[in-house]
């Protein structure tokens, strides 16, 4: 690959260094463009704009490849614990035994919700969406722990998030909050905090713990997506970890991002309840005059199967078998996928199931309420948000401040109100 790119603008040539990543991805380092030429690159939605170089996550969307720090997602989902993945994302390598035990101790030290935090939670309207509650409580941690240094805040949040997710769930179902058990894995402790009995004696089932562990790992990072970029953007102003993460939770809640997992199950429910067949909904998704989109389908980066969806499709099957459940939604999801993948509309645009397409069926099998699905995504994504922010700060990146091309009115002057149309 050549090491320079040339741009000709208005007859003048500008040269830019070319950066090549370890997997052969190519970027043109355009930082000097505005200073040298006065022009900027215009790329709404950032489809062709790299905001950073990163060593954390690699995606090859054409081939359906996803790796955290070089490790294929399939291997991690099969063989790692979520705690190991947290260490991997934050520290760059899988932990040895003593590193893992130090991390587990650290997370356990922060796994309780203080009285203040419970009070904030209790003050919020019970009918509010769990993602709004999560965002508010995460942001309130910045008021309670306002003296935290960067590292303490990172681990405090990682420790507390599962207790917080579980408390939001328990409040919703009207059950008392439980205390974290330091002997359990991250996934097991979440299951205990969310589904355990206040009188004790309810052991966390291994099937549930394994399924949760895998879900958390599959969601742990996904390079420069909307919420991770938000975490970096907010952090670039040197705002604290709580501000970065609460903003990222807000970004994730949107239906085009993490909120899609809730929308998928609502869509499957609508199909199940209606007297129309799957083909009718596929036709609606193709119809440009109809707002309906096939939720859980399509991705900015994957133009092939999302490898997370492949893993989840199989896990959903296995989980339902193990739990002895029959889930009508999984069958509808399979039919939708099959029908869509035989339609030119979807193949031409290279729209495949994404992670959210099958995750809902797994959450559903685990008895997690629909509007809690995106909170589960947030629990998994937290180490990614923190690792992305950490990498940005370690590199001392400048404040993120995109430019624009102004296309509004030229200068004009205030007229007296009676002269205005
Ligand atoms: N159903 C029907 N048509 C679709 C869909 C869909 N789910 N997704 C994309 N298209 C069409 C779109 O209308 C456009 O068609 P045309 O070229 O004729 O205008 C074309 O495909 C390209 O779509 P786009 O909206 O320009 O693509 P994007 O990269 O901006 O958006 C997306 C990606 C994920 C927001 C979009 O595919 C979508 O809205 N999918 C449904 C929501 C969803 O599942 N989101 C979860 C994403 S994965 C997990 C996460 O990030 O949290």
């Amino acid at each position: 690959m050549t090491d320079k790119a040339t741009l000709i603008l208005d007859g003048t040539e500008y040269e830019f260094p070319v950066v090549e990543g370890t997997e052969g991805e190519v970027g043109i380092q355009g930082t000097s463009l505005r200073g040298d030429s006065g022009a900027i690159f215009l790329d709404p939605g950032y489809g062709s704009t790299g905001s950073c170089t990163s060593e954390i996550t690699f995606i090859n969307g054409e081939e359906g490849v996803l790796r955290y720090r070089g490790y294929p997602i399939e291997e991690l989902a099969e063989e790692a614990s979520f705690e190991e993945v947290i260490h991997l994302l934050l520290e760059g390598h899988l932990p040895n035994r003593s590193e893992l035990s130090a991390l587990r101790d650290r997370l356990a030290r922060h796994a309780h919700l203080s009285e203040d935090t419970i009070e904030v939670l209790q003050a919020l309207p019970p009918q509010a969406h769990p993602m709004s509650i999560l965002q508010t409580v995460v942001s309130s941690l910045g008021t309670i722990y306002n003296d935290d240094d960067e590292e303490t805040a990172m681990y405090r949040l990682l420790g507390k998030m599962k207790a917080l997710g579980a408390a939001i769930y328990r409040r919703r179902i009207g059950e008392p909050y439980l205390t974290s058990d330091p002997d359990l894995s991250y996934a097991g402790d979440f299951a205990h905090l969310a589904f355990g009995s206040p009188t004790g004696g309810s052991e966390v089932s291994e099937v549930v713990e394994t399924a949760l562990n895998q879900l958390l790992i599959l969601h742990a990072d996904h390079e420069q997506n909307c919420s991770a970029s938000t975490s970096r953007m907010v952090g670039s102003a040197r705002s604290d970890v709580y501000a970065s993460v609460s903003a990222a939770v807000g970004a994730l809640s949107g239906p085009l991002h993490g909120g899609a997992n809730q929308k998928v199950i609502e869509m499957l429910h609508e199909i199940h309840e209606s007297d129309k067949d799957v083909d009718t909904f596929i036709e609606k998704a193709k119809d440009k005059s109809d707002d309906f989109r096939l939720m859980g389908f399509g991705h900015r980066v994957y133009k092939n199967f999302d490898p997370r969806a492949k893993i989840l499709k199989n896990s959903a099957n296995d989980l339902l078998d193990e739990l002895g459940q029959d889930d009508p939604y999984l069958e509808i999801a399979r039919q939708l996928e099959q029908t869509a993948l035989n339609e030119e509309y979807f193949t031409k645009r290279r729209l495949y199931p994404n992670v959210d397409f099958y995750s809902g069926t797994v959450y559903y099998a685990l008895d997690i309420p629909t509007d809690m699905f995106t909170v589960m995504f947030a629990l998994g994504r937290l180490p990614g948000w923190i690792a992305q922010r950490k990498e940005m700060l370690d590199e001392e990146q400048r404040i993120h401040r995109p430019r624009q091309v102004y296309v509004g009115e030229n200068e004009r002057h205030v007229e007296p109100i009676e002269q205005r149309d």
Side-chain angles (χ1 to χ4, degrees), residues 327-343:
D327 176 359
Y329 297 150
L330 184 59
E331 189 42 44
I332 298 173
R334 286 206 203 97
Q335 282 176 29
L336 271 177
E337 176 188 335
Q338 210 176 11
T339 314
L341 296 183
N342 283 318
E343 285 280 344

Side-chain angles (χ1 to χ4, degrees), residues 255-258 260 285 288 293-300 308 345-346 349 351 354-356 377:
L256 298 190
H257 193 6
K288 291 285 171 198
R293 276 196 166 198
L294 198 52
M295 298 311 283
F297 250 74
H299 201 276
R300 173 64 59 81
R308 302 167 300 173
Y345 177 92
F346 291 91
R349 291 173 177 77
L351 303 170
N354 60 49
V355 66
D356 294 325
F377 191 151

